[in-house]
Amino acid sequence: MTDKKKSQLILCTCGKQLNLDFDSLSADLGKISMTETVTIHDTCCQEDGLEKIAEIMKKKDTPLVIGACTNQKLQPRIDQFLKQKGIDPSRVRYVNIREHSAWVHPDKQEATEKALGMLRGGIASAASSSVLPIEEKEIPNHVTVIGGGIAGIETALSLENLGYNVTLIEIDDKLGGHVLNLPVVAPTGKPGAEILKGRLEAIEKSENITIMTQTQVKYFEGEMGNFTVNYISNEKEDELQTSAVVMATGFKEFKPTMMDEYRYGKNPDVVTQYELSSMLTEGSFKKPSDDGEVKEVVMVQCVGSRSEDYKKDCSKLCCTFAIDNAIAVLEKNPDANIRVVYMDIRVPFENELIYKESREKGVDYIRGRISMVWEKDGQTYIKIYDSLLNQYFEVPADLIVLSSAILPPDGMAELSETLGYILDDGGYVKELYGKLRRNETRRRGVVAVGAVTRPQFVFEAVTDAQAAALVLHNELQGGKIKTVARGAVLNVDDCVGCSLCAQQCPRGVPLMIEQPEEEEDEEQKILFKAAIDTLNCHACGVCQSLCPSAATQLNFLSNEQLWDQVEATLEDASGENLITLCFYCEECSVSTIDIVGTRKMEYPASTRLIPVPCAGRVSIIDILKALECGAATVMIAACEHDRCHIGGTGNEIAQVQVDVAQDILNAIGWKGERVEMFRMFSAEPERFTNAIIEMVKRATKFAQSPVHKGTAGKYEVATK
Amino acid sequence: MSDPVLIIGAGVAGLTAAVELADSGVNTIVVEKLPTVGGNALDLYKAFPTDDCFYCFEGNRWRPGIRKCFYRSALIDQPNMDLKINSYVEQITGNSGKFEATIHVGPEYIDAKKCIMCGLCIEYSSAFSLVSPQCQPQAVTYDPDKADEGDKKAVEECPTKAINLDAQPKKETVSVSDVVIATGYHEMKPVNVDEYSYGKHPNIVTQLELAQILDPIGATDGKLLRPSDGKPAKRVMMVQCVGSRDENYYPYCSKICCVYALKHANILTEERDASQVSVVYMDIRTYDSHERYYREARENGVEFVRGRVARVEPKDENELDIIVYDSLLDKYLKFTVDLFVLSSALEPPEGMDNIIDSLGLNVASGFIAPADLVSENEVVAGDHIYACGTALGPAEVPESVTQARAVASKILQNRK
């Protein structure tokens, strides 16, 4: 139990526009033993209000509870102001009495009661809050880039420009990757070697980039700021220390040997598109079988791509590559006949103009598929189905070029085991969030660039690399990190070594560390215990809700704080006053609920809302606590599937907690439906009102749970 | 102290660049012509590839590394960012890290920092309104064309005295070190493409207009209704490549229309109870993993017709007959629909050619092309001049974000 501190309170009337009874609020809150003072102000967000807040905080060293509009808007302004005044803002608690009460409940008394309950909760939570320290740490100013293709090279150069030392690891004996062999790169029409030239010169000259070719990374240890890279170079194992890792291992072209219809691997005149690129670059543009002239060329699109059997998705680049190569072939042999068999030609933006150019140059496009390839008297033939003419026809071919699917490179799964990124269904590195955070991976300090994330054009890979350098720079801050230590703090003595936190942390922060040998009590010894670097933590609280021994807790929302808050919020709950308690995440859910407020959409006032950083912070115990404290129903508002703001899985952890809570309640006959989780989406505010109306309905149906505070430990049979 | 960076346009790309730079301690001036940030994104309801709302974006590190809703981004409280709404850049002179920009700043009727959104003014006068619950800055706007008696009362009663009806536009000249062009795109209004009769019948709309019909915060509360009579629209036809891949308008492919058309087709069939959705196309271009939309659309029973629309014949005020040439069947087909949706080309926004000319940039079909074609540095448009987002040509949201970060990265690299 921490020392509980009284709070000062400031309530904002929002320019006297809030339909709340501030006199009664002030009187009732003043009576609470944990209240130091109550101040009412008309505009907390304006200069005079900010001054008032600063004045209150300077006068007495206590927590401060602000009852006002949404903290999502207010907090940045207040934090900024207090920072300028040199006041620590970490013990300020916000209770939203505007969007979450006054604006959605037209009945003044009801709205006031709800505000009172939530403010009581705020005071209770603030009572055991502590000042969050600003901490500093120094980490190696070094990044390791795996993969020496265009994306890896560009990332290394960008990072060097931002002041980092870089080790660039390449498995091959030279840098350049696939781009080196491209005869023409759309949309500029330059050969790949030319695009690489300036960069390769720069990297050769660089003093801060160490190049290691013929080197293969085996595994990793550690975390952001302190990774150890274990690698094999010239058959020798070695390791290096680094602060962050860039995955830039490129792509692999699908080799369609198992697709019998194409005879790839059996007939030397059947090649892949990339093999044709290499032939064109090396200048050996002859029939592979007999070095004869190549006149009849058939290119086949979507070999392995857009197929249920091999790769479901489109490989994006192959249409453009095929067209580029078709034009390059015509340059070598203007008499060549080129047919491209396709399903849909997919050439984005100005690549369409190259498509047009190729048609003007005589490339023939046939919408359809290939039914078979065969050889007769040393000549290769191909049978094409034309879906526009609904006809089959057979043509001889000197060269058949398969636009083969572009796949993730080998070794991705192996590295993910120790590097901690996850793979998507297609085997690519899964981005942290598809809309906005493409280069970041699940693991903090690990970014992915270029084709390892999805098929990319050269210019896209370059942009990716430049962006990823910024992402890492944001994380590493040049090696000197100084920030508020706000997040999970682990008490190692309480750790039982279960490793749930390490397995389930959405960003892979906790590490399991082998414990030093101890003489005594070998049987009781815990071999591995968790370690959490609070400065690497995203502060979601998933580890806290899963920890069986309460060893890891958020330093701004401990178990004690949340339980005190729940209890105080529900103080007025009773058989007559049936309350629905809603835990909401401070991401999609707070947005949705705030918008419900801004749009003044109404819902019952017999509801109390408690914020949590992520729905994953809510544990089964927290849910049962709410029922114990008198809530009739408990709802959890979380982000949609796959849209959790915190690494993508906090909401799913919450779902598991809710499911288990329901099972427990059902098992003892207390109605699992008392508890439910709902997915929020701020473009659809009805999701919240529909959900909470449903839970209020269930509250009336089920009443309070049979055992709760007020039954004084006596078992009371549920009446409904 | 270096001069600030000028960012033109506060859509997804411009804002990302601005916030990344501001968070890194670089001063920025963001010029936006509309009264709120967000650009085209604000009107899109659901965005691909994640199918969630469009209102969130990265930045504002008071909770590090976690994306925020626009409305929570508190842009006006970001100390390194000077956001100028209702404004536009008149002229940029100078070069190579030393630019002078003349900015036309619209009248500041509402002091956004003072507005508390209490809603009092909106009660008094219809000249005041909230553009969107997620607008940023979070403040009401004032439309002088709708001025009435009530607005004086609003001025008097405003609790924070945030309203100044006498505000005048002004001109500001600023020195800036870098220019970031993030002016976005404009959806072509296909009024001149005769075969589609756009503008001649209320039930013929563009994809962006359909997005607003589908938006639960929009006029129809998200219900799929015929604009003509407000009755449910059950039969919908979409046509691709309106103005794109067309020598008479834009020869390029607009790249994202196939994806968002199919995204809409899936919403219509899965969530809005449309009984018949058909898509007329030349090639379906769902690049990369967006292929999923195509697979889902086929599973949802969306009908794909390869061919072109020959003509539109309004049957009556509410229904349209569409005559389509099907190139696979080599036949003309007739469809009767309630709503006809045009996947209209993405074109450069107004004023783009001015920017390109005055700064002497390379051009790609009216959009900005990279300065150095060999390097494949797409975001570098000139010496200390950068571009990101759809200013570089049609782009997805994640591409715009990545480009914007690349711009911020490049500027920081230069300043090291």
Side-chain angles (χ1 to χ4, degrees), chain A residues 72-73 98 161 199 344-346 350 352 433 435 437 463 466 587 594 684, chain B residues 45 52-53 63 65 71-72 116 138 284-285 291 365 375 377-378 409:
Chain A
Q72 304 298 317
K73 284 179 290 196
R98 189 172 83 161
N161 289 340
R199 291 187 171 88
D344 295 281
I345 289 290
R346 295 185 166 176
E350 280 200 318
E352 180 76 26
Y433 175 57
K435 200 170 71 196
R437 314 181 75 179
T463 304
Q466 292 162 353
E587 299 303 335
D594 283 0
E684 293 176 357
Chain B
Y45 170 40
D52 52 356
C53 56
R63 217 173 138 210
Y71 90 101
R72 297 190 282 153
I116 55 175
Q138 282 266 291
I284 291 291
R285 295 184 167 177
E291 183 76 10
S365 299
S375 70
N377 276 327
E378 61 169 336
S409 176

mmCIF file of all heavy atoms in Angstrom, chain A residues 72-73 98 161 199 344-346 350 352 433 435 437 463 466 587 594 684, chain B residues 45 52-53 63 65 71-72 116 138 284-285 291 365 375 377-378 409:
data_model
loop_
_atom_site.group_PDB
_atom_site.id
_atom_site.type_symbol
_atom_site.label_atom_id
_atom_site.label_comp_id
_atom_site.label_asym_id
_atom_site.label_seq_id
_atom_site.Cartn_x
_atom_site.Cartn_y
_atom_site.Cartn_z
ATOM 1 N N GLN A 72 -7.854 14.499 -24.245
ATOM 2 C CA GLN A 72 -7.162 14.336 -25.514
ATOM 3 C C GLN A 72 -6.790 15.685 -26.106
ATOM 4 O O GLN A 72 -5.817 15.817 -26.820
ATOM 5 C CB GLN A 72 -8.035 13.550 -26.492
ATOM 6 C CG GLN A 72 -8.465 12.204 -25.969
ATOM 7 C CD GLN A 72 -7.292 11.274 -25.708
ATOM 8 O OE1 GLN A 72 -6.385 11.197 -26.513
ATOM 9 N NE2 GLN A 72 -7.306 10.601 -24.574
ATOM 10 N N LYS A 73 -7.612 16.694 -25.831
ATOM 11 C CA LYS A 73 -7.282 18.027 -26.320
ATOM 12 C C LYS A 73 -6.614 18.863 -25.239
ATOM 13 O O LYS A 73 -5.718 19.640 -25.506
ATOM 14 C CB LYS A 73 -8.561 18.733 -26.788
ATOM 15 C CG LYS A 73 -9.025 18.225 -28.126
ATOM 16 C CD LYS A 73 -10.285 18.889 -28.582
ATOM 17 C CE LYS A 73 -11.449 18.469 -27.750
ATOM 18 N NZ LYS A 73 -12.743 18.770 -28.361
ATOM 19 N N ARG A 98 -17.425 16.622 -19.712
ATOM 20 C CA ARG A 98 -18.138 17.295 -20.803
ATOM 21 C C ARG A 98 -18.615 16.269 -21.834
ATOM 22 O O ARG A 98 -19.773 15.870 -21.801
ATOM 23 C CB ARG A 98 -17.219 18.330 -21.464
ATOM 24 C CG ARG A 98 -17.961 19.204 -22.452
ATOM 25 C CD ARG A 98 -17.111 20.354 -22.959
ATOM 26 N NE ARG A 98 -16.234 19.942 -24.075
ATOM 27 C CZ ARG A 98 -15.669 20.796 -24.923
ATOM 28 N NH1 ARG A 98 -15.852 22.099 -24.781
ATOM 29 N NH2 ARG A 98 -14.893 20.363 -25.892
ATOM 30 N N ASN A 161 23.994 9.861 -42.793
ATOM 31 C CA ASN A 161 23.742 11.305 -42.847
ATOM 32 C C ASN A 161 23.101 11.824 -41.568
ATOM 33 O O ASN A 161 23.229 12.994 -41.234
ATOM 34 C CB ASN A 161 22.830 11.645 -44.028
ATOM 35 C CG ASN A 161 23.536 11.478 -45.353
ATOM 36 O OD1 ASN A 161 24.761 11.469 -45.393
ATOM 37 N ND2 ASN A 161 22.769 11.338 -46.421
ATOM 38 N N ARG A 199 25.413 5.622 -55.470
ATOM 39 C CA ARG A 199 25.271 5.135 -54.094
ATOM 40 C C ARG A 199 26.422 4.213 -53.718
ATOM 41 O O ARG A 199 26.944 4.273 -52.612
ATOM 42 C CB ARG A 199 23.946 4.390 -53.952
ATOM 43 C CG ARG A 199 22.735 5.307 -54.039
ATOM 44 C CD ARG A 199 21.454 4.556 -53.729
ATOM 45 N NE ARG A 199 20.346 5.492 -53.598
ATOM 46 C CZ ARG A 199 19.607 5.911 -54.609
ATOM 47 N NH1 ARG A 199 19.834 5.478 -55.824
ATOM 48 N NH2 ARG A 199 18.631 6.782 -54.408
ATOM 49 N N ASP A 344 -4.975 -9.224 -66.340
ATOM 50 C CA ASP A 344 -5.203 -7.774 -66.324
ATOM 51 C C ASP A 344 -3.821 -7.158 -66.420
ATOM 52 O O ASP A 344 -2.917 -7.588 -65.721
ATOM 53 C CB ASP A 344 -5.825 -7.308 -64.995
ATOM 54 C CG ASP A 344 -7.224 -7.845 -64.753
ATOM 55 O OD1 ASP A 344 -8.165 -7.288 -65.338
ATOM 56 O OD2 ASP A 344 -7.370 -8.800 -63.973
ATOM 57 N N ILE A 345 -3.656 -6.168 -67.271
ATOM 58 C CA ILE A 345 -2.384 -5.456 -67.275
ATOM 59 C C ILE A 345 -2.440 -4.416 -66.167
ATOM 60 O O ILE A 345 -3.359 -3.597 -66.104
ATOM 61 C CB ILE A 345 -2.125 -4.788 -68.641
ATOM 62 C CG1 ILE A 345 -1.817 -5.841 -69.707
ATOM 63 C CG2 ILE A 345 -0.980 -3.783 -68.548
ATOM 64 C CD1 ILE A 345 -0.475 -6.532 -69.558
ATOM 65 N N ARG A 346 -1.468 -4.477 -65.285
ATOM 66 C CA ARG A 346 -1.487 -3.597 -64.111
ATOM 67 C C ARG A 346 -0.261 -2.706 -64.107
ATOM 68 O O ARG A 346 0.800 -3.095 -63.613
ATOM 69 C CB ARG A 346 -1.542 -4.434 -62.845
ATOM 70 C CG ARG A 346 -2.835 -5.221 -62.754
ATOM 71 C CD ARG A 346 -2.966 -5.970 -61.469
ATOM 72 N NE ARG A 346 -4.352 -6.422 -61.320
ATOM 73 C CZ ARG A 346 -4.798 -7.178 -60.335
ATOM 74 N NH1 ARG A 346 -3.973 -7.553 -59.377
ATOM 75 N NH2 ARG A 346 -6.047 -7.526 -60.274
ATOM 76 N N GLU A 350 2.180 6.610 -64.524
ATOM 77 C CA GLU A 350 2.779 6.871 -65.837
ATOM 78 C C GLU A 350 3.348 5.623 -66.500
ATOM 79 O O GLU A 350 3.736 5.680 -67.657
ATOM 80 C CB GLU A 350 3.857 7.949 -65.715
ATOM 81 C CG GLU A 350 3.276 9.353 -65.668
ATOM 82 C CD GLU A 350 4.298 10.406 -66.019
ATOM 83 O OE1 GLU A 350 5.436 10.282 -65.543
ATOM 84 O OE2 GLU A 350 3.966 11.333 -66.774
ATOM 85 N N GLU A 352 1.630 3.408 -67.388
ATOM 86 C CA GLU A 352 0.639 3.244 -68.448
ATOM 87 C C GLU A 352 1.194 3.778 -69.783
ATOM 88 O O GLU A 352 0.901 3.227 -70.848
ATOM 89 C CB GLU A 352 -0.641 4.018 -68.066
ATOM 90 C CG GLU A 352 -1.769 3.950 -69.088
ATOM 91 C CD GLU A 352 -2.511 2.615 -69.083
ATOM 92 O OE1 GLU A 352 -2.521 1.933 -68.041
ATOM 93 O OE2 GLU A 352 -3.080 2.267 -70.139
ATOM 94 N N TYR A 433 1.368 -1.256 -38.548
ATOM 95 C CA TYR A 433 0.019 -0.808 -38.843
ATOM 96 C C TYR A 433 -0.025 -0.389 -40.312
ATOM 97 O O TYR A 433 0.726 0.470 -40.742
ATOM 98 C CB TYR A 433 -0.356 0.348 -37.918
ATOM 99 C CG TYR A 433 -1.691 0.962 -38.229
ATOM 100 C CD1 TYR A 433 -2.832 0.173 -38.236
ATOM 101 C CD2 TYR A 433 -1.819 2.309 -38.535
ATOM 102 C CE1 TYR A 433 -4.061 0.718 -38.542
ATOM 103 C CE2 TYR A 433 -3.040 2.863 -38.824
ATOM 104 C CZ TYR A 433 -4.163 2.061 -38.823
ATOM 105 O OH TYR A 433 -5.372 2.599 -39.124
ATOM 106 N N LYS A 435 -1.762 1.270 -42.389
ATOM 107 C CA LYS A 435 -2.062 2.566 -42.977
ATOM 108 C C LYS A 435 -0.925 3.558 -42.748
ATOM 109 O O LYS A 435 -0.596 4.328 -43.645
ATOM 110 C CB LYS A 435 -3.359 3.110 -42.369
ATOM 111 C CG LYS A 435 -4.019 4.187 -43.196
ATOM 112 C CD LYS A 435 -5.401 4.495 -42.674
ATOM 113 C CE LYS A 435 -5.345 5.220 -41.367
ATOM 114 N NZ LYS A 435 -6.615 5.220 -40.648
ATOM 115 N N ARG A 437 2.115 2.898 -40.489
ATOM 116 C CA ARG A 437 3.396 2.518 -39.913
ATOM 117 C C ARG A 437 3.962 1.329 -40.665
ATOM 118 O O ARG A 437 4.097 0.250 -40.142
ATOM 119 C CB ARG A 437 3.221 2.212 -38.439
ATOM 120 C CG ARG A 437 2.400 3.265 -37.764
ATOM 121 C CD ARG A 437 2.229 3.023 -36.307
ATOM 122 N NE ARG A 437 3.445 3.337 -35.594
ATOM 123 C CZ ARG A 437 3.558 3.232 -34.285
ATOM 124 N NH1 ARG A 437 2.557 2.802 -33.573
ATOM 125 N NH2 ARG A 437 4.669 3.555 -33.692
ATOM 126 N N THR A 463 12.398 5.369 -51.166
ATOM 127 C CA THR A 463 11.600 6.185 -50.245
ATOM 128 C C THR A 463 11.436 5.470 -48.897
ATOM 129 O O THR A 463 11.563 6.075 -47.836
ATOM 130 C CB THR A 463 10.218 6.454 -50.865
ATOM 131 O OG1 THR A 463 10.420 7.069 -52.126
ATOM 132 C CG2 THR A 463 9.390 7.376 -49.990
ATOM 133 N N GLN A 466 14.567 5.845 -46.846
ATOM 134 C CA GLN A 466 14.744 7.173 -46.252
ATOM 135 C C GLN A 466 13.796 7.346 -45.072
ATOM 136 O O GLN A 466 14.155 7.897 -44.028
ATOM 137 C CB GLN A 466 14.483 8.250 -47.317
ATOM 138 C CG GLN A 466 15.547 8.240 -48.402
ATOM 139 C CD GLN A 466 15.133 8.947 -49.665
ATOM 140 O OE1 GLN A 466 13.977 9.355 -49.812
ATOM 141 N NE2 GLN A 466 16.065 9.108 -50.589
ATOM 142 N N GLU A 587 -7.549 5.095 -27.139
ATOM 143 C CA GLU A 587 -7.217 5.199 -28.561
ATOM 144 C C GLU A 587 -8.519 5.299 -29.363
ATOM 145 O O GLU A 587 -9.219 6.259 -29.220
ATOM 146 C CB GLU A 587 -6.339 4.014 -28.980
ATOM 147 C CG GLU A 587 -5.021 3.942 -28.225
ATOM 148 C CD GLU A 587 -4.163 5.198 -28.355
ATOM 149 O OE1 GLU A 587 -4.302 5.932 -29.339
ATOM 150 O OE2 GLU A 587 -3.336 5.449 -27.466
ATOM 151 N N ASP A 594 -15.744 10.366 -27.438
ATOM 152 C CA ASP A 594 -15.691 11.825 -27.514
ATOM 153 C C ASP A 594 -16.563 12.345 -28.657
ATOM 154 O O ASP A 594 -17.215 13.387 -28.534
ATOM 155 C CB ASP A 594 -14.246 12.303 -27.733
ATOM 156 C CG ASP A 594 -13.435 12.240 -26.452
ATOM 157 O OD1 ASP A 594 -13.995 11.833 -25.414
ATOM 158 O OD2 ASP A 594 -12.239 12.596 -26.484
ATOM 159 N N GLU A 684 -17.809 5.626 -36.834
ATOM 160 C CA GLU A 684 -19.148 5.088 -36.606
ATOM 161 C C GLU A 684 -19.505 5.224 -35.126
ATOM 162 O O GLU A 684 -19.521 4.245 -34.378
ATOM 163 C CB GLU A 684 -19.205 3.614 -37.043
ATOM 164 C CG GLU A 684 -19.048 3.455 -38.552
ATOM 165 C CD GLU A 684 -18.996 1.995 -39.005
ATOM 166 O OE1 GLU A 684 -19.018 1.093 -38.156
ATOM 167 O OE2 GLU A 684 -18.927 1.789 -40.230
ATOM 168 N N TYR B 45 -14.325 8.367 -45.215
ATOM 169 C CA TYR B 45 -15.013 7.394 -44.363
ATOM 170 C C TYR B 45 -14.118 6.213 -44.001
ATOM 171 O O TYR B 45 -13.597 6.149 -42.897
ATOM 172 C CB TYR B 45 -16.330 6.954 -45.003
ATOM 173 C CG TYR B 45 -17.025 5.775 -44.340
ATOM 174 C CD1 TYR B 45 -17.066 5.637 -42.952
ATOM 175 C CD2 TYR B 45 -17.662 4.796 -45.112
ATOM 176 C CE1 TYR B 45 -17.711 4.561 -42.364
ATOM 177 C CE2 TYR B 45 -18.306 3.720 -44.515
ATOM 178 C CZ TYR B 45 -18.307 3.602 -43.147
ATOM 179 O OH TYR B 45 -18.931 2.538 -42.573
ATOM 180 N N ASP B 52 -10.155 1.201 -41.876
ATOM 181 C CA ASP B 52 -10.637 1.947 -40.723
ATOM 182 C C ASP B 52 -10.747 3.417 -41.103
ATOM 183 O O ASP B 52 -10.513 3.794 -42.241
ATOM 184 C CB ASP B 52 -9.790 1.712 -39.478
ATOM 185 C CG ASP B 52 -8.316 1.937 -39.729
ATOM 186 O OD1 ASP B 52 -7.966 2.190 -40.887
ATOM 187 O OD2 ASP B 52 -7.548 1.832 -38.779
ATOM 188 N N CYS B 53 -11.122 4.230 -40.121
ATOM 189 C CA CYS B 53 -11.390 5.616 -40.462
ATOM 190 C C CYS B 53 -10.089 6.326 -40.795
ATOM 191 O O CYS B 53 -8.999 5.858 -40.489
ATOM 192 C CB CYS B 53 -12.148 6.316 -39.375
ATOM 193 S SG CYS B 53 -11.363 6.267 -37.770
ATOM 194 N N ARG B 63 2.474 10.824 -26.201
ATOM 195 C CA ARG B 63 2.510 9.398 -25.926
ATOM 196 C C ARG B 63 3.263 8.784 -27.082
ATOM 197 O O ARG B 63 2.721 8.624 -28.156
ATOM 198 C CB ARG B 63 1.106 8.844 -25.818
ATOM 199 C CG ARG B 63 1.076 7.789 -24.746
ATOM 200 C CD ARG B 63 -0.294 7.339 -24.476
ATOM 201 N NE ARG B 63 -0.221 5.910 -24.344
ATOM 202 C CZ ARG B 63 -1.200 5.117 -24.647
ATOM 203 N NH1 ARG B 63 -2.316 5.602 -25.110
ATOM 204 N NH2 ARG B 63 -1.078 3.855 -24.476
ATOM 205 N N GLY B 65 5.098 7.287 -30.177
ATOM 206 C CA GLY B 65 4.963 6.197 -31.120
ATOM 207 C C GLY B 65 3.576 5.659 -31.329
ATOM 208 O O GLY B 65 3.399 4.615 -31.916
ATOM 209 N N TYR B 71 -8.262 14.827 -34.465
ATOM 210 C CA TYR B 71 -8.799 15.799 -33.529
ATOM 211 C C TYR B 71 -8.023 15.817 -32.221
ATOM 212 O O TYR B 71 -8.084 16.756 -31.465
ATOM 213 C CB TYR B 71 -10.288 15.536 -33.272
ATOM 214 C CG TYR B 71 -10.568 14.605 -32.109
ATOM 215 C CD1 TYR B 71 -10.970 15.123 -30.878
ATOM 216 C CD2 TYR B 71 -10.414 13.244 -32.237
ATOM 217 C CE1 TYR B 71 -11.212 14.278 -29.818
ATOM 218 C CE2 TYR B 71 -10.661 12.408 -31.186
ATOM 219 C CZ TYR B 71 -11.056 12.925 -29.980
ATOM 220 O OH TYR B 71 -11.282 12.097 -28.930
ATOM 221 N N ARG B 72 -7.299 14.716 -31.973
ATOM 222 C CA ARG B 72 -6.537 14.675 -30.736
ATOM 223 C C ARG B 72 -5.098 15.136 -30.943
ATOM 224 O O ARG B 72 -4.292 15.049 -30.044
ATOM 225 C CB ARG B 72 -6.543 13.252 -30.189
ATOM 226 C CG ARG B 72 -7.915 12.779 -29.834
ATOM 227 C CD ARG B 72 -7.836 11.483 -29.091
ATOM 228 N NE ARG B 72 -7.587 10.372 -29.978
ATOM 229 C CZ ARG B 72 -6.986 9.258 -29.590
ATOM 230 N NH1 ARG B 72 -6.555 9.138 -28.373
ATOM 231 N NH2 ARG B 72 -6.815 8.280 -30.433
ATOM 232 N N ILE B 116 -13.761 27.037 -27.436
ATOM 233 C CA ILE B 116 -13.879 25.840 -26.597
ATOM 234 C C ILE B 116 -14.960 24.909 -27.130
ATOM 235 O O ILE B 116 -15.327 23.942 -26.481
ATOM 236 C CB ILE B 116 -14.153 26.217 -25.127
ATOM 237 C CG1 ILE B 116 -15.379 27.123 -25.014
ATOM 238 C CG2 ILE B 116 -12.930 26.889 -24.511
ATOM 239 C CD1 ILE B 116 -15.780 27.428 -23.591
ATOM 240 N N GLN B 138 -9.549 22.182 -33.636
ATOM 241 C CA GLN B 138 -10.855 21.927 -33.052
ATOM 242 C C GLN B 138 -11.481 23.274 -32.706
ATOM 243 O O GLN B 138 -11.266 23.820 -31.631
ATOM 244 C CB GLN B 138 -10.688 21.061 -31.806
ATOM 245 C CG GLN B 138 -10.472 19.620 -32.141
ATOM 246 C CD GLN B 138 -11.766 18.823 -32.148
ATOM 247 O OE1 GLN B 138 -12.372 18.606 -31.124
ATOM 248 N NE2 GLN B 138 -12.209 18.409 -33.321
ATOM 249 N N ILE B 284 -8.695 -4.789 -64.076
ATOM 250 C CA ILE B 284 -8.799 -4.544 -62.641
ATOM 251 C C ILE B 284 -7.392 -4.475 -62.094
ATOM 252 O O ILE B 284 -6.604 -5.408 -62.261
ATOM 253 C CB ILE B 284 -9.606 -5.662 -61.943
ATOM 254 C CG1 ILE B 284 -11.079 -5.594 -62.339
ATOM 255 C CG2 ILE B 284 -9.459 -5.565 -60.420
ATOM 256 C CD1 ILE B 284 -11.840 -4.413 -61.806
ATOM 257 N N ARG B 285 -7.081 -3.354 -61.475
ATOM 258 C CA ARG B 285 -5.710 -3.152 -61.023
ATOM 259 C C ARG B 285 -5.643 -3.062 -59.511
ATOM 260 O O ARG B 285 -5.499 -1.982 -58.939
ATOM 261 C CB ARG B 285 -5.136 -1.889 -61.656
ATOM 262 C CG ARG B 285 -5.013 -2.038 -63.162
ATOM 263 C CD ARG B 285 -4.371 -0.864 -63.831
ATOM 264 N NE ARG B 285 -4.023 -1.230 -65.204
ATOM 265 C CZ ARG B 285 -3.483 -0.395 -66.082
ATOM 266 N NH1 ARG B 285 -3.225 0.844 -65.741
ATOM 267 N NH2 ARG B 285 -3.190 -0.804 -67.289
ATOM 268 N N GLU B 291 -5.237 -7.128 -53.882
ATOM 269 C CA GLU B 291 -5.943 -8.190 -54.596
ATOM 270 C C GLU B 291 -7.074 -8.764 -53.730
ATOM 271 O O GLU B 291 -8.094 -9.224 -54.232
ATOM 272 C CB GLU B 291 -4.943 -9.293 -54.977
ATOM 273 C CG GLU B 291 -5.521 -10.441 -55.790
ATOM 274 C CD GLU B 291 -5.766 -10.093 -57.259
ATOM 275 O OE1 GLU B 291 -5.329 -9.020 -57.713
ATOM 276 O OE2 GLU B 291 -6.401 -10.900 -57.941
ATOM 277 N N SER B 365 3.066 14.279 -66.056
ATOM 278 C CA SER B 365 1.630 14.347 -66.327
ATOM 279 C C SER B 365 0.907 15.345 -65.417
ATOM 280 O O SER B 365 -0.153 15.062 -64.885
ATOM 281 C CB SER B 365 0.995 12.970 -66.154
ATOM 282 O OG SER B 365 1.554 12.055 -67.061
ATOM 283 N N SER B 375 18.624 9.020 -59.810
ATOM 284 C CA SER B 375 18.787 8.576 -58.424
ATOM 285 C C SER B 375 17.561 7.846 -57.894
ATOM 286 O O SER B 375 17.640 7.172 -56.876
ATOM 287 C CB SER B 375 19.072 9.779 -57.537
ATOM 288 O OG SER B 375 17.910 10.571 -57.443
ATOM 289 N N ASN B 377 15.261 9.137 -56.352
ATOM 290 C CA ASN B 377 14.817 9.831 -55.140
ATOM 291 C C ASN B 377 13.511 10.537 -55.464
ATOM 292 O O ASN B 377 13.506 11.684 -55.882
ATOM 293 C CB ASN B 377 15.845 10.895 -54.734
ATOM 294 C CG ASN B 377 16.957 10.319 -53.914
ATOM 295 O OD1 ASN B 377 16.746 9.379 -53.148
ATOM 296 N ND2 ASN B 377 18.138 10.872 -54.074
ATOM 297 N N GLU B 378 12.390 9.878 -55.256
ATOM 298 C CA GLU B 378 11.147 10.468 -55.757
ATOM 299 C C GLU B 378 10.739 11.727 -54.996
ATOM 300 O O GLU B 378 10.066 12.578 -55.538
ATOM 301 C CB GLU B 378 10.003 9.437 -55.752
ATOM 302 C CG GLU B 378 9.676 8.897 -54.390
ATOM 303 C CD GLU B 378 8.376 8.081 -54.376
ATOM 304 O OE1 GLU B 378 7.521 8.295 -55.239
ATOM 305 O OE2 GLU B 378 8.230 7.250 -53.473
ATOM 306 N N SER B 409 13.070 13.013 -43.308
ATOM 307 C CA SER B 409 14.383 12.389 -43.176
ATOM 308 C C SER B 409 15.428 13.170 -43.969
ATOM 309 O O SER B 409 16.504 13.504 -43.471
ATOM 310 C CB SER B 409 14.281 10.945 -43.673
ATOM 311 O OG SER B 409 15.506 10.294 -43.674
#
